[in-house]
Amino acid sequence: MPSPKPKRRPSRRAASPRPSPKPYHHGDLRRALVDAALHLAAAGAEVSVREAARRAGVSPGAPFRHFPSRDALMTAVAAEAQRRFRSEIEAALAAAPSDDPLAQIRSLGLAYLRWAMKNPAHFEIISTGKYFDHDAAGEVSKDNAEIIAVMARLLGEAAARGKLRHGDLKRTQIAARALVYGFARMLIDGHFPRWGIAEDEVEPMAEGIVDLFIDGIAK
Amino acid sequence: MPSPKPKRRPSRRAASPRPSPKPYHHGDLRRALVDAALHLAAAGAEVSVREAARRAGVSPGAPFRHFPSRDALMTAVAAEAQRRFRSEIEAALAAAPSDDPLAQIRSLGLAYLRWAMKNPAHFEIISTGKYFDHDAAGEVSKDNAEIIAVMARLLGEAAARGKLRHGDLKRTQIAARALVYGFARMLIDGHFPRWGIAEDEVEPMAEGIVDLFIDGIAK
DNA sequence: ACCTGAACACCGTTCAAGT
DNA sequence: ACCTGAACACCGTTCAAGT
């Protein structure tokens, strides 16, 4: 991952000869904290408010001017990750043949798994229910609901064309989601070594289970 | 869950007239700490070494005489939970028709999901890769490997009788595990409300996806 | 308006000292 | 042999005080 280094943004107007190394007003501390948290997570570290503050060059109390709690920060981080996740999935769907719903479902599943494999820590932040207990996380829910809606539409089209063996679309959709969610989670939770699956076998296996599932539901 | 209350075991030899309310030697502090942690988790609380020590009536440093770290305590907790999980699954398998591998696989899947639904916090402790990073957790791995082996045997039998559509048994097994793991995790991570699945719809849905999957792999 | 820095109540963990 | 209790370095969070 090419880590976009902490951008020292030019101060808002005329830059003073020597830009102060620790400006009193940060400019966009909120954004800097979210970025720091994303980098911490991607590096495999625990995300702490204090460490994010350190990375942003501010005092331990400063983040609480922008987020009422650690959970609120993590919710913002999750929203950003979910946004990236969704946009990658939509790109994959756009590249798939638009007249074949099962092929589109396959693309959706593969894009889902590929993103999770490339961004395991961010996937975990999106997935785990530790933050935003209710669905107070409007943005996260919205982006997720969008993916759910796309999948529902694709399943509906497939059913309309007589391509599905099973009539209960909701059940089919939950099973599909459980499959990819479970695979991604097993990866993140470190189960594959115990299953004798080496790192370079994960991606082919991901493809394999998507195909196996689609074969199973297709008529 | 009938909480087995912290057993005040009789002091080792002749009990003094009034048993001291806070005995200096605990008897089995290790066990008491694991039990406390299991109860804390089941109650939805964070498991902390200090809180477990408090529950066991000892000082904050005492647990470290029995566990080198918090992770070591959690590993012991996970081992106990995994043991219970495995024994419930084996009971369910024993009750299923022994001459029908697909029916046994169905029983296995349902027992897996039922235990996870009844013991979400314990399932999470077993599943999450935060503790016992490698497979240093001998007991957990052994009990889990046992379940994996049973499933592999059942799939092998089903294939030998020509009951499977797909020849790649490993792939089929990973897909099956990802399905139940993902369903359990979605429950724990709190995703079902966002999917419009109420609490009393979870169990039928669990059955539904197991049946759908087995239909998909059966010939 | 935004940030500092000290403070508080929590953790995990260590270690001398007690019994 | 096992536990206490103080200590240390961390957290999240609050709040007066600074600019």
Side-chain angles (χ1 to χ4, degrees):
Chain A
M1 205 171 315
S3 69
K5 36 183 65 82
K7 45 190 167 272
R8 179 171 306 283
R9 38 164 63 232
S11 57
R12 207 171 284 278
R13 221 160 245 278
S16 51
R18 279 208 285 112
S20 60
K22 201 181 168 188
Y24 189 79
H25 290 83
H26 190 283
D28 196 350
L29 180 53
R30 191 194 147 89
R31 177 84 226 164
L33 291 167
V34 170
D35 282 347
L38 282 164
H39 287 134
L40 280 170
E46 284 295 305
V47 176
S48 79
V49 178
R50 289 180 100 107
E51 183 59 31
R54 252 171 249 130
R55 301 274 174 121
V58 295
S59 75
F64 293 90
R65 240 354 96 160
H66 298 269
F67 300 100
S69 68
R70 191 193 111 109
D71 277 12
L73 169 59
M74 293 308 283
T75 301
V77 171
E80 172 61 20
Q82 179 78 266
R83 199 184 54 67
R84 296 181 189 177
F85 187 27
R86 177 184 166 191
S87 91
E88 192 153 311
I89 280 178
E90 284 174 349
L93 281 177
S98 63
D99 61 328
D100 183 346
L102 284 180
Q104 286 231 312
I105 288 172
R106 183 172 186 278
S107 290
L108 174 54
L110 293 182
Y112 187 103
L113 290 175
R114 287 210 183 100
W115 195 86
M117 291 187 281
K118 255 191 286 199
N119 308 278
H122 294 173
F123 184 88
E124 191 187 9
I125 289 173
I126 293 174
S127 309
T128 195
K130 296 278 164 66
Y131 333 109
F132 43 91
D133 287 308
H134 334 95
D135 33 6
E139 291 187 79
V140 181
S141 295
K142 206 190 93 205
D143 280 325
N144 187 49
E146 197 65 33
I147 298 174
I148 293 176
V150 168
M151 175 68 171
R153 179 172 57 71
L154 292 172
L155 277 176
E157 282 177 30
R161 301 190 196 186
K163 303 226 177 202
L164 295 185
R165 296 174 62 199
H166 204 290
D168 189 336
L169 297 189
K170 186 173 183 184
R171 180 188 295 189
T172 305
Q173 187 169 359
I174 301 261
R177 179 64 155 244
L179 183 82
V180 292
Y181 191 80
F183 190 89
R185 267 259 171 230
M186 286 178 73
L187 175 69
I188 290 166
D189 294 342
H191 289 209
F192 285 147
R194 278 185 265 176
W195 283 78
I197 299 181
E199 241 180 287
D200 60 336
E201 294 173 302
V202 173
E203 178 131 5
M205 184 58 84
E207 262 190 63
I209 63 154
V210 169
D211 287 337
L212 184 141
F213 182 82
I214 292 179
D215 276 1
I217 62 169
K219 185 148 63 184
Chain B
M1 205 173 314
S3 70
K5 39 182 64 83
K7 44 191 167 273
R8 179 170 307 282
R9 37 163 66 233
S11 58
R12 206 172 284 279
R13 221 160 248 277
S16 51
R18 280 209 284 112
S20 60
K22 201 183 168 188
Y24 188 78
H25 291 83
H26 190 283
D28 195 351
L29 180 53
R30 190 192 149 88
R31 178 85 226 163
L33 290 167
V34 171
D35 282 346
L38 282 164
H39 286 133
L40 280 170
E46 283 297 302
V47 177
S48 80
V49 177
R50 288 181 100 106
E51 183 59 30
R54 251 171 250 131
R55 300 276 174 121
V58 295
S59 75
F64 293 91
R65 236 2 92 163
H66 299 269
F67 300 100
S69 68
R70 191 194 112 110
D71 277 11
L73 168 60
M74 293 308 282
T75 301
V77 171
E80 171 62 19
Q82 179 78 264
R83 199 184 54 67
R84 296 181 190 176
F85 186 27
R86 177 184 165 191
S87 91
E88 191 151 312
I89 280 179
E90 283 174 351
L93 281 178
S98 62
D99 62 328
D100 183 345
L102 283 180
Q104 287 231 310
I105 288 171
R106 183 173 187 277
S107 290
L108 175 53
L110 293 182
Y112 187 103
L113 289 175
R114 287 210 183 100
W115 195 86
M117 290 187 282
K118 254 191 287 198
N119 308 278
H122 294 173
F123 184 89
E124 191 187 7
I125 289 173
I126 293 174
S127 309
T128 194
K130 296 277 164 67
Y131 332 110
F132 43 90
D133 287 308
H134 334 95
D135 32 7
E139 291 188 79
V140 181
S141 295
K142 207 191 92 204
D143 280 324
N144 187 49
E146 197 65 34
I147 298 174
I148 293 176
V150 168
M151 175 68 170
R153 180 173 57 71
L154 293 172
L155 277 176
E157 281 178 30
R161 301 191 194 186
K163 302 226 178 201
L164 294 185
R165 297 173 61 199
H166 204 290
D168 189 336
L169 296 190
K170 186 173 183 183
R171 180 188 294 188
T172 306
Q173 186 169 357
I174 301 262
R177 179 64 155 245
L179 183 83
V180 292
Y181 191 80
F183 190 89
R185 268 259 170 229
M186 284 177 74
L187 175 68
I188 290 167
D189 294 341
H191 289 210
F192 286 147
R194 278 184 265 176
W195 283 77
I197 298 181
E199 241 180 287
D200 61 336
E201 294 173 302
V202 173
E203 178 131 5
M205 185 57 84
E207 262 191 63
I209 63 154
V210 169
D211 287 337
L212 184 141
F213 182 82
I214 292 178
D215 276 1
I217 62 170
K219 187 148 62 183

